[in-house]
């Protein structure tokens, strides 16, 4: 990118995550500080197709740092997945005079960004998803807030489960990734955690865990299930059939996406938004802003999308030690 950047767009796409507004605020204020105009694209890639936009100023993004959700709204766009739809988006960029776009979202958002960049529109991605499943970055905006929301809910559930000496099966979000479930499971002292990254032996992973916990003197049990594993309701039925208990099933669902972002998500979003604009200012683009070893790095989109993130299975060992004081060696690590 050799020409001077005069105007950029910013959008949020995919599932909303706490901290998206903080990232938008950082993009807008960093752009304005560098003499760059900023256009907000509403409703993600679909908004870029439909020319759904609003001019953003330093004042218009005031007081959004602490707000959950996204002031730019978000949507998934099947039309953008087609060549015709992407060409419409490019036409909007030309009509608005955009020299680049900052796309805030997850893996699907970045795959859209890659396609747009191949059509000549420079894009910089900012990872924001409560799933924390973007392969190129250690951390995604929204994860910590979602974890704390789930932990708060489960702590409250534990109070009533303990009072009635019951088993609780709690389903948390994360699609096909278990990062949220495992992190939360350790934090709440779950009896066991089920994630899609490893095969489940129901007898060993659930039934025997409940039995061991009961023999250790516990009268209430907390089973945390990642949504990618399957239905928590079905798991509750299997527990009933296996041990004769009547589990209470709770699906936390979209409550995990809401609420004010915590300090980590506000600060990380602000830094990422700053570096996204800085990439354009310094003549780069077509990259994703990522966190690695506590710092912010910039990775080319194609390379970033090829990277994979693996669940840290050693956390299971930690969970076992905390619960049972021994490693059962059930996890192959």
């Amino acid at each position: 990118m050799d020409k001077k950047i005069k105007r950029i767009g910013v959008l949020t796409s995919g599932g909303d995550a706490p901290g998206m507004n903080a990232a938008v605020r950082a993009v807008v204020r960093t752009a304005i500080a560098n003499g760059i105009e900023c256009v907000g694209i509403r409703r993600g890639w679909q908004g870029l197709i439909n020319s759904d936009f609003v001019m953003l100023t330093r004042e218009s993004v005031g007081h959004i740092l602490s707000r959950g959700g996204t002031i730019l709204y978000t949507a998934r766009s099947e039309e953008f997945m087609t060549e015709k739809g992407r060409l419409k988006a490019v036409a909007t960029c030309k009509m608005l005079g955009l020299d680049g776009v900052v796309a805030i979202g997850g893996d699907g958002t970045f795959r859209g960004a890659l396609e747009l960049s191949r059509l000549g529109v420079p894009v910089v991605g900012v990872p924001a998803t409560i799933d924390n499943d973007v392969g190129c970055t250690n951390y995604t905006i929204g994860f910590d807030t979602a974890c704390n929301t789930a932990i708060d809910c489960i702590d409250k559930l534990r109070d009533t489960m303990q009072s009635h000496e019951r088993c609780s099966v709690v389903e948390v979000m994360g699609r096909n990734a278990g990062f949220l479930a495992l992190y939360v499971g350790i934090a709440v002292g779950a009896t066991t955690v089920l994630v899609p990254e490893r095969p489940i032996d129901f007898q060993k992973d659930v039934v025997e865990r409940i039995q061991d916990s009961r023999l250790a003197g516990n009268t209430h049990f907390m089973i945390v299930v990642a949504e990618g594993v399957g239905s928590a309701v079905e798991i509750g039925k299997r527990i009933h059939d296996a041990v004769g208990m009547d589990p209470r099933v709770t699906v936390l669902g979209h409550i995990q996406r809401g609420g004010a972002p915590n300090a980590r998500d506000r600060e990380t979003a602000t830094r990422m938004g700053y570096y996204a604009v800085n990439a354009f200012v310094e003549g780069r683009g077509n990259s994703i802003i990522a966190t690695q070893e506590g710092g912010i790095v910039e990775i080319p989109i194609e390379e970033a999308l090829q990277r994979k993130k693996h669940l840290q299975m050693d956390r299971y060992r930690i969970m076992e030690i905390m619960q049972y004081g021994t490693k059962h060696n059930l996890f192959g690590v």
Side-chain angles (χ1 to χ4, degrees), residues 180-192:
L180 186 63
L182 184 53
Y183 191 99
V184 168
I186 293 173
V188 301
T191 306
T192 193

Side-chain angles (χ1 to χ4, degrees), residues 224-239:
V224 176
V225 181
E227 63 179 337
V229 168
S231 168
V233 173
E234 290 302 317
I235 290 170
K237 290 178 180 177
R238 293 182 68 182
I239 291 173

Side-chain angles (χ1 to χ4, degrees), residues 207-227:
V207 176
E208 291 182 11
R209 294 299 179 83
I210 292 174
Q211 291 171 339
D212 289 349
S213 184
R214 182 67 186 94
L215 289 170
N218 294 313
T219 57
H220 64 283
F221 316 95
M222 184 65 64
I223 315 300
V224 176
V225 181
E227 63 179 337

